[in-house]
C-alpha cells in the first residue's frame, strides 16, 4: 500500500506538466506519508506484522518507516525554492532521486532478510552520491562525494563479511527464523571481531563522532 504508490511516483514525476510539478509531487508524497500512519496500528503487539515473505514491520521498524515517508514531502518543500531556477529536467531528476531514496529506505527498514537489508542499506549511497555531487553547495562537493562513497563502502565491507559468517553459522539470514536459533557466545577474540564488524558499518553511516570524515 505504501511501496507501490512510491514507485509509481517516479513515472508520475516525468509525465506531469512543468507548472504542476512541485505541487503535484508534494501532494502525492503527502498522501503517501498520511497513509503510512496506518502502520501505527501494528506497534500494539511485540511481534511482526507480515506484509509478504520478504517484507514485514515490527515495533522497531514502524517508526523508522513512517519517518522515511514523512521526509520526502519535507525535502520537497525545503528544495523547491532552491532548485526552481534550474532546467526542468534537473528538477525532475532531483525529485526522482529523493523518491528513490525513499524506496530504498522502505525496502531496508521492512526487510526480513538481513542480506536484503544490507543491499538496500547500501543502495541509498547511489542517489545520495548524485545529490551531493550535482546539488552540493561547496566547491569541494566532488571530492566529498568520492570520499563519502568509498569510505562508506569500505566501512560496510566488515558487515558483509560478518553476515556471511552468520549465514555459515546459523544456516539462515531471515530475521523471522534467527530468533529461534541460540545466540552466538562472544568468547573468543574472533567472535569479538565479528561483533565489531557488525557495528562498524552503522557507526560510519550515522556517522558517529570519530568515525566520520
Amino acid at each position: 500500500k505504501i511501496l507501490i504508490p512510491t514507485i509509481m511516483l517516479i513515472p508520475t514525476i516525468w509525465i506531469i506538466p512543468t507548472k504542476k510539478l512541485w505541487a503535484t509531487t508534494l501532494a502525492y508524497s503527502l498522501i503517501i506519508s498520511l497513509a503510512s500512519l496506518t502502520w501505527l496500528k501494528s506497534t500494539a503487539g511485540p511481534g511482526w506484522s507480515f506484509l509478504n515473505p520478504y517484507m514485514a514491520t515490527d515495533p522497531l521498524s514502524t517508526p523508522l518507516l513512517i519517518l522515511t515517508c514523512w521526509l520526502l514531502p519535507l525535502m520537497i518543500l525545503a528544495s523547491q525554492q532552491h532548485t526552481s531556477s534550474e532546467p526542468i529536467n534537473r528538477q525532475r531528476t532531483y525529485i526522482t532521486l529523493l523518491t528513490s531514496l525513499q524506496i530504498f529506505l522502505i525496502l531496508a527498514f521492512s526487510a526480513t532478510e538481513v542480506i536484503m537489508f544490507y543491499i538496500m542499506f547500501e543502495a541509498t549511497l547511489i542517489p545520495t552520491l548524485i545529490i551531493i555531487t550535482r546539488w552540493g553547495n561547496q566547491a569541494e562537493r566532488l571530492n566529498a562525494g568520492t570520499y563519502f562513497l568509498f569510505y562508506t563502502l569500505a566501512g560496510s565491507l566488515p558487515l558483509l563479511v560478518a553476515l556471511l559468517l552468520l549465514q555459515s553459522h546459523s544456516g539462515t539470514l531471515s530475521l523471522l527464523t534467527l530468533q529461534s536459533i541460540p545466540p552466538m557466545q562472544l568468547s573468543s577474540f574472533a567472535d569479538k571481531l565479528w561483533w565489531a564488524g557488525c557495528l562498524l558499518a552503522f557507526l560510519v553511516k550515522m556517522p558517529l563522532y570519530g568515525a566520520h570524515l
Side-chain angles (χ1 to χ4, degrees):
K1 295 179 180 179
I2 302 296
L3 180 62
I4 294 177
T6 306
I7 294 174
M8 292 304 299
L9 178 56
I10 292 180
T12 304
I13 292 168
W14 291 92
I15 61 175
I16 56 178
T18 302
K19 293 182 179 180
K20 299 179 180 179
L21 174 63
W22 290 94
T24 304
T25 52
L26 176 61
Y28 196 123
S29 59
L30 276 174
I31 292 172
I32 293 173
S33 58
L34 289 171
S36 71
L37 295 177
T38 58
W39 279 327
L40 289 173
K41 294 186 296 183
S42 65
T43 60
W48 292 87
S49 298
F50 291 97
L51 303 178
N52 61 51
Y54 303 102
M55 298 175 66
T57 61
D58 68 345
L60 180 62
S61 65
T62 298
L64 297 173
L65 286 164
I66 295 173
L67 176 63
T68 298
C69 292
W70 278 96
L71 280 175
L72 180 58
L74 293 177
M75 287 189 292
I76 291 174
L77 279 173
S79 307
Q80 182 174 358
Q81 190 69 27
H82 177 66
T83 58
S84 58
S85 59
E86 296 187 355
I88 188 60
N89 282 344
R90 278 178 61 89
Q91 296 182 38
R92 295 183 193 271
T93 304
Y94 182 77
I95 302 174
T96 302
L97 292 170
L98 297 182
T99 306
S100 64
L101 267 175
Q102 176 166 313
I103 293 170
F104 290 141
L105 287 173
I106 289 175
L107 289 170
F109 290 138
S110 62
T112 58
E113 287 282 341
V114 184
I115 199 67
M116 176 181 171
F117 166 79
Y118 175 84
I119 293 171
M120 293 300 117
F121 187 65
E122 296 304 316
T124 58
L125 286 175
I126 300 171
T128 308
L129 175 68
I130 299 173
I131 291 173
I132 289 173
T133 54
R134 297 296 180 184
W135 284 273
N137 284 329
Q138 286 77 17
E140 300 84 6
R141 59 182 182 269
L142 291 178
N143 284 337
T146 305
Y147 290 142
F148 163 78
L149 176 65
F150 288 102
Y151 178 63
T152 311
L153 282 177
S156 66
L157 286 178
L159 175 60
L160 178 60
V161 174
L163 293 180
L164 295 176
L165 289 173
L166 180 61
Q167 166 75 28
S168 176
H169 168 78
S170 61
T172 180
L173 283 178
S174 173
L175 294 173
L176 307 177
T177 55
L178 278 174
Q179 298 172 356
S180 61
I181 296 174
M184 296 175 65
Q185 301 298 323
L186 301 179
S187 55
S188 67
F189 181 71
D191 291 338
K192 292 180 173 62
L193 282 179
W194 174 85
W195 175 80
C198 285
L199 289 181
L200 183 61
F202 301 101
L203 300 181
V204 171
K205 273 266 193 177
M206 284 177 61
L208 187 73
Y209 181 76
H212 64 85
L213 290 177

